Every structure is written in structure tokens, then in C-alpha cells.
Amino acid sequence: MDQVIGAQHEFHDVEFVAGWADRFAPTPKRLELFNIFLSELKPRIPSNGVVVELGIGPGFLADHLLGELSEIRYVGVDFSEPMLDIARQRLDQHSSRVTYVQADLVSDNWWAGIRSPVNAIVSTWALHDLANPETVAAVYKSCAQVLSDGGTFLNGDFIKPDNAIFEYEPGRFEIEKHIAMLRRAGFKNADCLKLLEEEIESPTAAQNYACLRALN
Ligand SMILES: C[S@@+](CC[C@H](N)C(=O)[O-])C[C@H]1O[C@@H](n2cnc3c(N)ncnc32)[C@H](O)[C@@H]1O
């Protein structure tokens, strides 16, 4: 089989980003992932805690969390200026609680513009774009260091299912490999809370994503 499950993006192109953000509006299934994040964050972080999102994109997850957790402060990290512009517009009603950091997660010091303490780091459908497991592992390691003691890390991202019959792009890899990398990064606990939209026989690039949790 020569089909590779993955997608090409042009995250620095204004027109591409505008069209992509419209198409990416959360479906009920995707909202299920956001609601798992909410139920994890509510009991674990202070009501006015700081949540950092890696790859804030058009701000759908941010809007959901800021709407439900009315006192949290939020830091949106992304390397794409057009995405940050769309997130700023979407999150306008929450602007007093949100700051934006333009940084490339592939760089050594993407976290330099983020002030501690950080109570949670979250990300959805972004880290697979870092293109290989080694870069994801480096980001996991930085997250374990940036997070406060007792902090929560949640990554909802595309994975390669265990019994995959297709090749997947290198940024999409097995859940067990993510968990091993999170433990090696220094987290005390790491597990997978749920595999969503699992599809083995005829997967699209928008299916097969897992909710991974790690605790500091
Ligand atoms: C699918 S979007 C995130 C959607 C967002 N979680 C939401 O709910 O709206 C992925 C984002 O990751 C960002 N991204 C991809 N590679 C990145 C990198 N190396 N550094 C920083 N951001 C990156 C893209 O610009 C894009 O905005």
C-alpha cells in the first residue's frame, strides 16, 4: 500500500489559514475531546490558574475552555501570525485573560516567552505537525520542565492506530510510544484517556486521535 495518512498545511499563508479555520470548526466528536480536557482541568488546576496551549490555531479549544473556566488565564502559542490573528478575533470577549506568544515549537527555547507558574499545558491536533517523534519528545521534555509541580499536560492528537494497515506520516505514531516518551520526559504519570474516531480500514487524515494525559 502506498497511501500515507497525513495532511499538508500552509500555516503561514493568510488565505489557506482562513479557509482551513472555517473547515476546522469543531464537530460533535471533536467537542467530546474538548470536554474530556474540561473534566480533567476542573478538579486539577486553581480556578484562576494559568493554561498554556501549544498550537492555539484558530482558537476553538481556547474558546471552549475560556468559556467554561471563567477565571483561568490563557497563553496561546503558535508560529503562524495568520492563525494568531484569527484566534485574537475569536477570543476577543476573553481578551483580558489571554496572551499570545509567537514561537516555533521546533526551536530550543519556544517556552522563553512564557512566565511561570504554569498549571496546565494543553494541545489539540498540533504536535503531529512537528513531523517526527524526536521533536515531539523534545517538546514533551520542555513541558515537564515548564509545568509547576502537580501540573497537568493534555495532548489530543492524531496517532497511528496499533493495528494500522496503512503508512502514517512520521508525526503520527503509536499511543504506547507517546506514553513512553512522556515518562522519559520526566512526568510522574502518563496514560491514554481515550482513542477517538478510530478507523482502521479507510481512515481519513482527520480520524484516529488520542487523548494523552501526563501529570507532573
Ligand atoms: C490544528 S491547529 C490547532 C487547532 C486548535 N487546537 C483549536 O482547537 O482551534 C494546529 C496549529 O499548530 C500550529 N503549529 C504547527 N506547527 C507548529 C510549530 N512548529 N510551532 C508552533 N505552532 C505550530 C499551526 O500553526 C496551527 O495553528
Side-chain angles (χ1 to χ4, degrees):
M1 308 232 181
D2 52 9
Q3 188 182 347
V4 178
I5 308 303
Q8 294 286 319
H9 305 298
E10 291 170 45
F11 285 134
H12 298 286
D13 181 282
V14 174
E15 272 182 34
F16 173 88
V17 164
W20 186 89
D22 284 344
R23 292 193 301 277
F24 198 72
T27 59
K29 268 281 162 203
R30 289 185 170 215
L31 282 173
E32 190 182 337
L33 177 63
F34 290 180
N35 285 328
I36 297 174
F37 276 32
L38 258 185
S39 60
E40 286 296 311
L41 293 176
K42 269 185 187 159
R44 288 182 202 282
I45 65 170
S47 57
N48 64 349
V50 174
V51 178
V52 172
E53 182 177 354
L54 307 183
I56 189 172
F60 291 116
L61 172 67
D63 198 26
H64 200 74
L65 297 182
L66 284 156
E68 295 287 334
L69 303 170
S70 61
E71 292 174 52
I72 57 166
R73 288 156 295 147
Y74 209 86
V75 181
V77 180
D78 209 292
F79 69 171
S80 161
E81 191 57 45
M83 280 293 190
L84 288 168
D85 285 343
I86 292 176
R88 274 188 203 98
Q89 287 167 29
R90 183 175 322 282
L91 304 176
D92 187 46
Q93 60 173 319
H94 308 295
S95 60
S96 62
R97 294 191 285 139
V98 187
T99 55
Y100 299 89
V101 173
Q102 187 172 15
D104 187 343
L105 294 166
V106 173
S107 71
D108 284 341
N109 62 346
W110 57 264
W111 39 264
I114 298 170
R115 290 171 55 189
S116 47
V118 174
N119 303 101
I121 299 180
V122 298
S123 186
T124 47
W125 304 295
L127 300 187
H128 69 284
D129 282 325
L130 305 185
N132 62 67
E134 294 72 28
T135 315
V136 176
V139 169
Y140 282 171
K141 197 166 178 191
S142 302
C143 289
Q145 286 163 1
V146 169
L147 269 175
S148 310
D149 268 359
T152 301
F153 176 77
L154 296 168
N155 180 23
D157 202 8
F158 297 117
I159 51 86
K160 178 179 181 178
D162 287 340
N163 37 0
I165 55 174
F166 293 99
E167 197 180 327
Y168 284 63
E169 62 180 345
R172 301 178 187 225
F173 51 91
E174 295 82 355
I175 289 170
E176 279 312 313
K177 189 164 177 172
H178 277 280
I179 290 173
M181 282 172 19
L182 286 163
R183 292 194 179 130
R184 268 202 302 278
F187 287 102
K188 290 189 188 109
N189 280 301
D191 58 359
C192 174
L193 298 176
K194 191 157 187 177
L195 172 58
L196 296 110
E197 299 203 52
E198 184 179 17
E199 174 59 50
I200 306 296
E201 301 292 327
S202 52
T204 68
Q207 293 173 310
N208 293 304
Y209 49 96
C211 183
L212 301 154
R213 172 181 66 180
L215 304 175
N216 230 7

